[in-house]
Amino acid sequence: MAGAAVLRRSARRVARQVAAAHSLSRSALQQPERLLSSQASPEHGPRGAVSGSELALYPPERVRNFSIIAHVDHGKSTLADRLLELTGTIQKGHGQPQYLDKLQVERERGITVKAQTATMFYRHNTTSQDSDGQKYLLNLIDTPGHVDFSYEVSRSLAACQGALLVVDAAQGVQAQTIANFYLAFESNLSIIPVINKIDQPTADPDNVKEQLKRLFDIDPSEALLTSAKTGKGLEQVLPAVIARIPSPPGKCDSPVRMLLLDSYYDEYKGVICHVAVVDGALRKGDKIASAATGRAYEVLDVGIMHPELTPTGVLYTGQVGYVISGMRSTKEARIGDTLHQAKSTVEPLPGFKPAKHMVFSGLYPADGSDFEALSHAIEKLTCNDASVSVTKETSNALGMGFRCGFLGLLHMDVFHQRLEQEYGAQVISTIPTVPYIFEYGDGSKVQVENPAALASNPGKRVVSCWEPTVIATIIIPSEYVGPVIMLCSERRGEQLEYTFIDAQRALLKYRLPLKEIIVDFYNELKGITSGYATFDYEDSEYQQSDLVKMDILLNGQPVDAMATIVHNQKAQRVGRELVEKLKKFIERQMFEITIQAAIGSKVIARETLSAMRKNVLAKCYGGDITRKKKLLEKQKEGKKRMKRVGSVDIPQEAFHELLKVSNSK
Amino acid sequence: MLRLAFPLVSHLPPWKPPPIRPRPLPARRYAASATATISSSTTSSPPSPPSLPPLSPSSAYVHLPFCRKRCHYCDFPIVAIGSSSGTAPSRVEVADDPRIVDYVRLLLREVAVTRPVSDDGVPLETVFFGGGTPSLVPPLLVAAVLDALRGRFGLSACPEVSIEMDPGTFDAAKLRELVGVGVNRVSLGVQAFQENLLRSCGRAHGVEEVHEAVGIVTACEGLQNWSMDLISSLPNQTEEMWEESLRCTVDARPTHVSVYDLQIEQGTKFGQIHIHLFCAPHIHVLVQFGYTPGVFPLPSDTESANFYKIASKRLSEAGYNHYEISSYSKPGYGCKHNLTYWQNRPFYAFGLGSASYINGVRYSRPRRMKEYAEWVQKLEDGTWSHESRSSDMKDMAMDVVMLSLRTAWGLDLQSFSKSFGKSMALSLCNTFKPFVESGLIIAMDMERQALPHMDFGLDLQNEGDLGSKVAFIRLSDPDGFLLSNELISLAFGVISP
């Protein structure tokens, strides 16, 4: 599970809290367990309760599981909203989607993350004579768009048989379109191309069709033209889903077997798991077990997301819904795990793999005394985002803290931001790093997640070092190709592909060291392309590289939290920049401070910060010493907030600023 | 700087204990453990200033808040009463300004209801009329206040009575009158000798008035003791200008010079005004007006530190002792009143926004006239009660350190360690050790001889013996003084971690 899912979950939490606040005002406080079901109240329109016997009407042939994949801002969320409205799952203007944008982190980042894993009932007129039509059960399974979470995308896709590939009619295919297409393609999904936003004046659906043909070999006649905004063409979407996407495979008469898609923690109900039932049926009271942990649970509640939790008592083959089974923490609910009938042995479904942590950073309380508070906040937050790995570590400059592993940069940012926004934690994070591998002459190998942990003078020869790489896809208007190629080569990229997707746009594929893109690559890319570039990446293999550990020393004392691993050829440049930055942000003190960057015992960059000239308050007027005293006390407090290495005080900003040190130029 | 430290001692006005009369110790003291030090510190030789207040104040500060206009750097509680113009001295027109008369009435009421700390009356040794511009107040009203103080608390035989005066607000006759009613020390707010600097900091006078005022003061019979007040680091001030001001100062031969480094206070014309515009969540636009210390047109930190060093050098060469961070005096002319502050002794205070220190409690009066008037009323009605947040030991220790380290006398370690514990004295010394080595702090023995830093280090290792060699520590002049805030706030960190 990953950041976007985390967002979604907390969005739900917000939604629930809002709903709960409503219900509380009306219903009895002593029945908190009713809060969830009570919100499936009349305001959500014609849905009402759904009984288990009703679900029995939908055998796999009448079920379609699909997701919507798109580049960010191409209209995925709006389309999802419209489909939910079209099926009466939510009412226009009444639905809870409005709640979902309330998370600050979503609003600020424009990564709209909606709780769209939802079950819809849809009456489909297969033929014109069949006026009553057939009722279908459609499960829309949300996937996050961002590259960090492609692992999560794939596990969502694992529960689907088809996907709507949404492309903006004006912007055309973008980097995430490509990445998501291949994920869906590799999962053997039926893909329905949807060219959206055709109402825009600059819409050029024919060009998009050509791009789809050229890039993905998609027949132009397959594309649906829609405007989720105006509603144009939407009526074709669900019929296409039913006609073109196969029903879920699965054996109705086998013991129950299901894929765990997602999980989150609810204060009232405990862990809530989203599942796709692959074989058999799941009933309340059943005993189920986890293939990953072997633990057994009793099904306390089961139902569908319609779109709120709606108990049905049962889920049949091919259906998607939720299960509450008394799990205590989301750590027990591993995404991709197979849940199955207890006491039976089953073949686990493909899909389970532990989250791969690609970006590591130390998180420390800004005020050293707040360690407990930070620890508590991290514990709470990881309760709903088990994809973050957390281990305690200690730094000479920052005291006690945590080394956290993230799926990617956005994931890290989001985690950091949520710690601050939702838990009020003031955090200092260290320069993000990637897991390097160092091999020594004596045959020993170490994986380095914290540069400080790597010996500066190991006393044995480093035979080789490896670093993780990614395959990056960049789509840009062709006039920016030059600068982007420059940027990629500065970042030690290796060009794999350079093609044109239409007359104006080029597609570049590069293999890049992950370290080179985790800090400021995307910003810089946006900068040199006037914001036009789109970028996506997928993890690739490790490559051998000439890496060195660079220490930062203040008056000769290494500051462990500032140590970093860099490419040998870039060491000088990065060292210079770090040292200059520090000079800017460390305040003058009563003595001279030398700031050095060193590799082993060799100093590669050096700055001197001269001693403070004056800090004196001349006047204690009329004997009123209280103001002066307050000022001095404030000064004292200021010193206390600083981090101290040797005798040098380092302001927190210095740590924040180091994160921004560029890898390029 | 060492050269300076030693001779200074003899010129420090020795703190004379008030006439000792047998009297019972009142039950209420500042802090139980502090009592012992008071007697011991006054008997030790050389006479060291007591670090804790004796019972009865012998000083009074009187705030006379009226100014013609507010200077651009000023954030004191003042009342701007306006005047004809900044250049023509306005000597008479304010004389019967009802606001002044009304205010002095209030002052007299405050004096009248302020009970002397003890009944057997320690008389006042010093009175200081500060402002504002006290020289705007008619001498008769100043006399009325002095009379009231004399009546209420008694005045010693030869008290120091200071008044702050601004060029352009008085003539020879007015000064004579003031001297006639008992004023014997003038603190002349000259600030600078450059027309453009005076104008740009919003002073209500020009250089001509400065020279005129100096002439009046030096010619005044019966007035030997006067101070020239200067401000360094003014906007656009150059080293040449500063040298010129110092030269003019030395030429005027005041007995005392105060040199204040310009402080940029928020809310003043010079001060920074920050306006946060919230454009969107997390997008703040910061709009700044005003001056930033160290940034043009203010002198850089280096220049400004240099001004301080120049003042120290020039004034020392001219025979002034740098006895406190911002104060210089000819031998025997240190400001006794201000010494009360540095020695952490109690003092009365009267008037708008003024701060008193009585019975171990510091109290600042309301800074707005209306609230001050209401406060006096309450005082008379007996309905005002002190929120007696009398300071605890840590506060006391911080006060002692903060105040004594401002002086050339420095911190008396023995007395400090007696009052606040040996361990605190030790950790203080340990914290300061690197700065003794780097010369920002000077350690001295009982005879006030500077000790080599090695000896200081040795003394520290010998815990039981702290003070066997080291008796005092002081900030060096000018380097230590220049970093006093840093050094004192370090000490605060030791006292109250």
Side-chain angles (χ1 to χ4, degrees):
Chain A
M1 355 188 251
V6 172
L7 297 183
R8 215 162 55 231
R9 270 175 237 123
S10 40
R12 287 187 205 115
R13 201 179 57 226
V14 172
R16 278 198 303 281
Q17 281 161 359
V18 173
H22 277 292
S23 321
L24 277 174
S25 60
R26 293 189 235 114
S27 67
L29 270 165
Q30 59 268 52
Q31 289 178 290
E33 72 279 5
R34 282 186 48 200
L35 292 179
L36 287 176
S37 43
S38 68
Q39 65 187 284
S41 55
E43 66 191 272
H44 289 308
R47 294 177 291 117
V50 179
S51 67
S53 55
E54 223 174 316
L55 283 190
L57 299 174
Y58 300 93
E61 312 82 89
R62 294 291 179 79
V63 176
R64 296 293 182 273
N65 297 328
F66 69 103
S67 69
I68 307 179
I69 53 182
H71 188 78
V72 63
D73 278 345
H74 280 196
K76 180 176 106 162
S77 303
T78 319
L79 180 64
D81 278 0
R82 290 298 99 80
L83 297 181
L84 292 174
E85 284 166 16
L86 212 70
T87 53
T89 313
I90 60 172
Q91 270 189 340
K92 203 168 180 172
H94 286 264
Q96 82 284 27
Q98 283 89 339
Y99 292 141
L100 298 175
D101 277 344
K102 283 185 178 163
L103 255 197
Q104 208 176 336
V105 67
E106 292 179 284
R107 271 188 324 213
E108 285 169 13
R109 293 171 180 267
I111 36 174
T112 323
V113 188
K114 300 202 177 195
Q116 304 291 22
T117 301
T119 298
M120 303 177 279
F121 296 97
Y122 178 65
R123 188 178 294 281
H124 177 50
N125 302 332
T126 23
T127 64
S128 49
Q129 298 95 324
D130 186 4
S131 61
D132 264 3
Q134 290 283 353
K135 278 188 86 179
Y136 282 83
L137 191 152
L138 308 178
N139 291 306
L140 170 56
I141 296 166
D142 186 34
T143 62
H146 192 273
V147 57
D148 274 10
F149 311 122
S150 55
Y151 164 65
E152 179 155 349
V153 176
S154 23
R155 60 89 182 156
S156 293
L157 296 182
C160 298
Q161 286 73 45
L164 302 176
L165 177 68
V166 178
V167 185
D168 183 303
Q171 292 180 22
V173 170
Q174 296 297 344
Q176 283 168 29
T177 318
I178 296 179
N180 286 324
F181 170 83
Y182 283 109
L183 283 172
F185 189 74
E186 282 157 16
S187 312
N188 284 320
L189 302 197
S190 304
I191 291 164
I192 302 173
V194 178
I195 300 177
N196 192 28
K197 301 194 186 182
I198 54 167
D199 57 303
Q200 299 173 96
T202 52
D204 187 358
D206 288 340
N207 182 41
V208 179
K209 282 182 191 172
E210 265 177 53
Q211 291 178 356
L212 293 173
K213 171 76 184 148
R214 190 187 307 209
L215 288 166
F216 309 134
D217 199 25
I218 289 176
D219 185 339
S221 69
E222 287 178 17
L224 308 180
L225 302 187
T226 64
S227 164
K229 194 171 141 202
T230 66
K232 196 173 175 193
L234 287 183
E235 71 288 348
Q236 326 156 56
V237 176
L238 292 178
V241 165
I242 289 165
R244 299 196 211 167
I245 296 175
S247 51
K251 297 187 264 314
C252 301
D253 46 4
S254 294
V256 69
R257 192 165 71 128
M258 59 201 151
L259 183 66
L260 203 165
L261 296 176
D262 195 357
S263 69
Y264 63 93
Y265 186 81
D266 178 275
E267 276 175 60
Y268 298 114
K269 304 204 153 196
V271 176
I272 297 176
C273 298
H274 288 184
V275 294
V277 178
V278 175
D279 295 322
L282 176 72
R283 290 185 175 77
K284 188 170 173 176
D286 282 357
K287 297 274 190 300
I288 54 169
S290 149
T293 66
R295 288 200 208 177
Y297 305 93
E298 183 184 337
V299 177
L300 305 174
D301 184 13
V302 55
I304 57 174
M305 283 80 78
H306 188 45
E308 295 301 329
L309 303 188
T310 308
T312 58
V314 63
L315 280 176
Y316 293 101
T317 309
Q319 297 178 353
V320 175
Y322 73 91
V323 177
I324 296 169
S325 62
M327 287 184 183
R328 291 179 180 255
S329 135
T330 50
K331 288 179 182 126
E332 295 175 50
R334 298 197 197 166
I335 305 306
D337 190 6
T338 301
L339 300 177
H340 58 88
Q341 193 180 54
K343 290 183 205 149
S344 71
T345 45
V346 297
E347 176 82 1
L349 294 158
F352 179 76
K353 48 176 177 175
K356 223 162 64 181
H357 299 115
M358 295 315 292
V359 178
F360 290 85
S361 163
L363 293 185
Y364 290 83
D367 178 350
S369 60
D370 280 352
F371 176 77
E372 285 308 319
L374 179 64
S375 173
H376 182 72
I378 288 181
E379 193 178 313
K380 283 275 235 187
L381 198 48
T382 50
C383 209
N384 268 335
D385 186 1
S387 62
V388 179
S389 73
V390 180
T391 45
K392 278 188 188 159
E393 70 175 18
T394 309
S395 143
N396 67 0
L398 299 172
M400 293 222 287
F402 300 93
R403 176 114 320 228
C404 297
F406 304 95
L407 302 172
L409 264 191
L410 179 72
H411 186 205
M412 178 177 82
D413 273 8
V414 165
F415 190 80
H416 197 152
Q417 196 172 345
R418 291 193 64 200
L419 272 179
E420 297 197 333
Q421 286 175 351
E422 293 172 34
Y423 297 91
Q426 291 296 311
V427 180
I428 295 179
S429 55
T430 62
I431 305 174
T433 185
V434 299
Y436 295 102
I437 294 170
F438 279 75
E439 186 180 351
Y440 294 105
D442 60 5
S444 61
K445 267 191 193 177
V446 283
Q447 172 155 331
V448 181
E449 288 156 10
N450 176 3
L454 186 68
S456 302
N457 296 297
K460 48 189 176 184
R461 197 167 54 91
V462 174
V463 185
S464 56
C465 337
W466 286 274
E467 61 180 336
T469 65
V470 297
I471 306 288
T473 304
I474 299 164
I475 294 183
I476 38 170
S478 45
E479 66 261 39
Y480 298 113
V481 165
V484 171
I485 288 180
M486 282 286 290
L487 173 66
C488 289
S489 73
E490 277 164 1
R491 302 301 181 103
R492 302 189 279 129
E494 173 199 347
Q495 196 182 85
L496 304 175
E497 196 179 326
Y498 174 14
T499 49
F500 284 87
I501 59 171
D502 60 25
Q504 287 88 40
R505 266 174 291 191
L507 180 153
L508 294 171
K509 264 194 193 232
Y510 269 88
R511 176 190 301 284
L512 284 158
L514 176 59
K515 174 65 199 281
E516 297 285 341
I517 62 165
I518 62 169
V519 177
D520 57 347
F521 181 79
Y522 189 49
N523 281 345
E524 197 141 323
L525 181 66
K526 283 278 188 191
I528 60 172
T529 61
S530 315
Y532 281 114
T534 60
F535 165 67
D536 203 346
Y537 67 83
E538 57 187 291
D539 292 338
S540 187
E541 63 260 34
Y542 272 70
Q543 72 179 13
Q544 204 163 346
S545 195
D546 184 9
L547 301 169
V548 288
K549 177 190 179 190
M550 185 164 72
D551 288 306
I552 296 291
L553 301 98
L554 297 178
N555 280 353
Q557 286 247 31
V559 187
D560 57 4
M562 293 182 180
T564 167
I565 290 170
V566 285
H567 191 265
N568 203 0
Q569 282 169 11
K570 288 191 157 189
Q572 180 90 35
R573 208 162 48 198
V574 174
R576 268 255 64 80
E577 209 179 328
L578 284 173
V579 160
E580 277 163 18
K581 207 133 221 175
L582 279 174
K583 185 179 179 184
K584 231 196 268 166
F585 284 90
I586 293 180
E587 284 160 27
R588 286 179 172 197
Q589 286 164 41
M590 289 186 283
F591 40 82
E592 188 178 271
I593 299 168
T594 52
I595 307 166
Q596 295 166 309
I599 293 168
S601 46
K602 187 178 155 223
V603 173
I604 56 166
R606 177 196 165 101
E607 286 282 348
T608 308
L609 187 63
S610 56
M612 175 193 292
R613 303 284 178 216
K614 67 164 233 205
N615 189 346
V616 56
L617 253 191
K619 207 151 182 175
C620 265
Y621 194 81
D624 188 357
I625 66 164
T626 47
R627 282 176 72 198
K628 183 176 165 64
K629 192 170 166 192
K630 264 184 204 147
L631 211 123
L632 291 168
E633 276 176 346
K634 220 169 117 190
Q635 200 162 329
K636 174 200 91 183
E637 290 304 317
K639 284 190 202 298
K640 222 163 76 179
R641 275 196 302 276
M642 299 237 222
K643 303 298 171 188
R644 175 168 278 214
V645 171
S647 54
V648 182
D649 291 327
I650 312 167
Q652 293 176 17
E653 299 83 72
F655 290 93
H656 294 310
E657 285 305 313
L658 287 192
L659 303 186
K660 299 181 195 158
V661 167
S662 153
N663 272 292
S664 72
K665 282 178 289 266
Chain B
M1 50 195 137
L2 293 186
R3 180 179 53 83
L4 265 179
F6 191 50
L8 264 180
V9 183
S10 51
H11 308 311
L12 259 184
W15 153 246
K16 289 199 202 89
I20 295 168
R21 298 171 206 167
R23 70 189 129 172
L25 285 178
R28 199 147 79 88
R29 298 297 298 246
Y30 322 106
S33 58
T35 42
T37 38
I38 292 157
S39 51
S40 71
S41 62
T42 49
T43 53
S44 65
S45 171
S48 83
S51 46
L52 291 163
L55 292 174
S56 210
S58 60
S59 293
Y61 175 80
V62 180
H63 194 65
L64 298 173
F66 304 98
C67 284
R68 296 207 301 219
K69 58 184 245 193
R70 187 180 281 277
C71 300
H72 296 346
Y73 50 80
C74 170
D75 76 332
F76 296 138
I78 68 146
V79 176
I81 56 175
S83 77
S84 46
S85 84
T87 46
S90 47
R91 277 149 198 159
V92 272
E93 77 264 38
V94 293
D96 49 0
D97 189 308
R99 286 173 291 184
I100 298 183
V101 179
D102 288 350
Y103 175 75
V104 171
R105 277 207 191 99
L106 261 179
L107 259 184
L108 295 178
R109 282 165 60 194
E110 192 195 344
V111 172
V113 293
T114 302
R115 293 174 57 84
V117 167
S118 68
D119 293 332
D120 45 359
V122 175
L124 296 176
E125 299 282 347
T126 77
V127 176
F128 196 102
F129 291 98
T133 311
S135 48
L136 283 176
V137 175
L140 272 178
L141 295 182
V142 174
V145 177
L146 268 178
D147 283 345
L149 292 174
R150 186 181 292 112
R152 197 75 179 118
F153 308 102
L155 270 182
S156 74
C158 45
E160 175 192 274
V161 180
S162 304
I163 188 166
E164 293 184 330
M165 304 188 83
D166 273 8
T169 61
F170 64 97
D171 55 14
K174 188 173 192 176
L175 182 57
R176 261 200 313 277
E177 269 185 81
L178 284 169
V179 171
V181 302
V183 169
N184 54 22
R185 185 174 179 278
V186 163
S187 179
L188 190 63
V190 166
Q191 321 308 6
F193 282 87
Q194 292 76 26
E195 200 68 53
N196 60 329
L197 292 192
L198 288 174
R199 224 183 354 258
S200 72
C201 60
R203 295 290 294 174
H205 62 85
V207 176
E208 202 184 311
E209 283 84 18
V210 167
H211 289 301
E212 195 188 341
V214 169
I216 297 169
V217 170
T218 46
C220 182
E221 257 182 68
L223 182 76
Q224 279 83 46
N225 192 0
W226 70 284
S227 175
M228 177 92 86
D229 297 351
L230 298 176
I231 300 182
S232 66
S233 301
L234 287 167
N236 298 304
Q237 193 172 34
T238 62
E239 190 177 324
E240 292 70 36
M241 294 179 195
W242 184 233
E243 289 274 14
E244 182 187 30
S245 288
L246 290 167
R247 230 174 11 249
C248 294
T249 301
V250 169
D251 289 348
R253 306 179 57 170
T255 48
H256 187 280
V257 181
S258 293
V259 177
Y260 299 118
D261 184 68
L262 181 72
Q263 303 298 319
I264 302 296
E265 303 287 354
Q266 276 194 20
T268 65
K269 278 205 177 152
F270 279 177
Q272 281 180 17
I273 302 160
H274 297 276
I275 300 175
H276 269 96
L277 301 173
F278 294 92
C279 299
H282 278 244
I283 303 176
H284 299 195
V285 175
L286 185 68
V287 183
Q288 281 187 14
F289 303 102
Y291 296 146
T292 309
V295 176
F296 186 81
L298 296 183
S300 71
D301 263 12
T302 311
E303 288 173 287
S304 152
N306 195 34
F307 290 172
Y308 188 90
K309 290 179 188 172
I310 293 173
S312 175
K313 188 157 187 288
R314 294 285 173 257
L315 295 172
S316 304
E317 286 165 355
Y320 293 89
N321 301 315
H322 196 176
Y323 72 98
E324 189 266 341
I325 281 178
S326 51
S327 313
Y328 298 80
S329 74
K330 284 282 171 74
Y333 286 97
C335 177
K336 288 182 192 143
H337 182 84
N338 283 345
L339 213 69
T340 310
Y341 305 149
W342 317 136
Q343 293 177 344
N344 201 28
R345 282 156 36 210
F347 52 90
Y348 296 107
F350 305 96
L352 187 74
S354 65
S356 57
Y357 182 32
I358 301 167
N359 286 331
V361 179
R362 296 189 186 272
Y363 177 72
S364 291
R365 281 146 195 72
R367 288 167 66 93
R368 290 166 194 269
M369 193 59 85
K370 187 167 167 284
E371 286 158 28
Y372 170 64
E374 288 165 2
W375 177 80
V376 171
Q377 184 63 53
K378 277 190 196 159
L379 209 59
E380 285 175 332
D381 298 345
T383 55
W384 182 77
S385 63
H386 230 284
E387 286 167 36
S388 182
R389 203 195 70 82
S390 119
S391 24
D392 63 8
M393 285 306 267
K394 278 181 180 174
D395 276 325
M396 293 263 246
M398 287 196 279
D399 287 359
V400 167
V401 167
M402 172 175 115
L403 295 167
S404 63
L405 287 183
R406 287 185 69 94
T407 65
W409 184 265
L411 177 68
D412 179 337
L413 282 174
Q414 274 191 347
S415 144
F416 183 84
S417 134
K418 265 183 208 149
S419 303
F420 306 107
K422 192 171 268 177
S423 72
M424 192 182 278
L426 256 175
S427 30
L428 197 62
C429 289
N430 272 314
T431 302
F432 280 159
K433 198 168 158 235
F435 305 104
V436 173
E437 282 161 26
S438 68
L440 295 178
I441 291 178
I442 297 166
M444 292 173 290
D445 63 15
M446 288 299 280
E447 276 70 51
R448 301 194 59 81
Q449 293 278 11
L451 288 165
H453 67 77
M454 295 292 283
D455 288 7
F456 182 70
L458 282 176
D459 213 30
L460 284 189
Q461 284 170 11
N462 203 353
E463 269 198 43
D465 254 2
L466 176 71
S468 65
K469 275 194 184 137
V470 186
F472 301 93
I473 50 175
R474 61 157 292 185
L475 309 189
S476 64
D477 176 23
D479 295 319
F481 276 160
L482 266 170
L483 296 176
S484 56
N485 279 3
E486 278 296 301
L487 292 163
I488 293 170
S489 58
L490 267 183
F492 277 19
V494 172
I495 295 166
S496 171

